[in-house]
Amino acid sequence: MKKLILFCLVVFGLQTSYAQYSKLNKLLNILEKDLGSRANFENVNMDNRKFVFVKYFDTHTERYILSLEGEKATYIELFDDKITGKTTSKIYSGDALFTKKGILSVHCDHLEGQNTPNTITKNFIPAQQRDIIYLIELGTETRWISDSNFKK
């Protein structure tokens, strides 16, 4: 009985965060059309921030989390199977650095503590609309929204 209640709470919490992500993503679409993105991050501290990107499919949901802690980065891939209800994850760790032009470069070469030949390399442009801080991934132009915005 306790497991069933815990499972229901976890599913409800995931659905709530998905709804918040979608709502913020739609808001950013509107704001970028009106104002354009601003990338002035001289006074914004990016240390100890987490960014989230969610993809929805009919059979599963993919969630990606990027955690920045100084020059260290943790990249987490979560796959939620809607049919079986199981969640699988991969946790990568590596380095993060800002270039002189303000681009965030993340290079993760450790999979769950072990060196891996399949490195994850992502480049982002930081952006901000009103109080929403997010990263725009270069190449795909996907938005990774800061988790601090979900708590508001």
Side-chain angles (χ1 to χ4, degrees):
M1 184 68 177
K2 290 181 183 178
K3 289 182 182 179
L4 178 63
I5 292 172
L6 181 62
F7 177 75
C8 290
L9 287 173
V10 168
V11 169
F12 177 73
L14 290 174
Q15 292 299 327
T16 304
S17 67
Y18 297 154
Q20 289 178 345
Y21 179 85
S22 296
K23 185 178 177 181
L24 283 172
N25 205 22
K26 288 177 185 175
L27 175 66
L28 289 173
N29 279 335
I30 294 167
L31 289 173
E32 282 185 348
K33 284 180 185 175
D34 293 343
L35 305 172
S37 63
R38 290 175 272 170
N40 183 8
F41 275 85
E42 295 170 356
N43 298 327
V44 177
N45 184 10
M46 297 295 279
D47 202 20
N48 295 323
R49 286 211 187 251
K50 292 181 182 148
F51 295 91
V52 178
F53 173 62
V54 181
K55 285 184 187 178
Y56 303 99
F57 298 98
D58 292 336
T59 58
H60 68 283
T61 302
E62 298 176 8
R63 291 179 291 150
Y64 301 94
I65 301 167
L66 178 65
S67 175
L68 302 173
E69 297 171 8
E71 293 183 1
K72 299 291 181 188
T74 304
Y75 176 75
I76 303 169
E77 296 177 343
L78 295 166
F79 299 97
D80 298 323
D81 189 351
K82 294 178 182 177
I83 298 169
T84 63
K86 292 189 178 184
T87 300
T88 57
S89 65
K90 292 181 184 176
I91 302 172
Y92 295 89
S93 59
D95 302 321
L97 66 102
F98 277 95
T99 64
K100 292 180 183 177
K101 295 185 178 183
I103 296 174
L104 172 65
S105 180
V106 176
H107 178 77
C108 295
D109 57 354
H110 289 81
L111 173 61
E112 297 179 3
Q114 303 287 328
N115 268 344
T116 180
N118 301 334
T119 61
I120 303 289
T121 303
K122 298 210 176 271
N123 295 306
F124 300 97
I125 296 175
Q128 182 174 5
Q129 292 291 341
R130 296 187 185 163
D131 293 335
I132 303 171
I133 296 173
Y134 59 102
L135 301 174
I136 301 171
E137 186 175 352
L138 295 177
T140 62
E141 296 186 9
T142 55
R143 286 189 205 95
W144 295 60
I145 301 172
S146 176
D147 75 331
S148 62
N149 297 310
F150 293 124
K151 299 171 186 169
K152 292 181 181 180

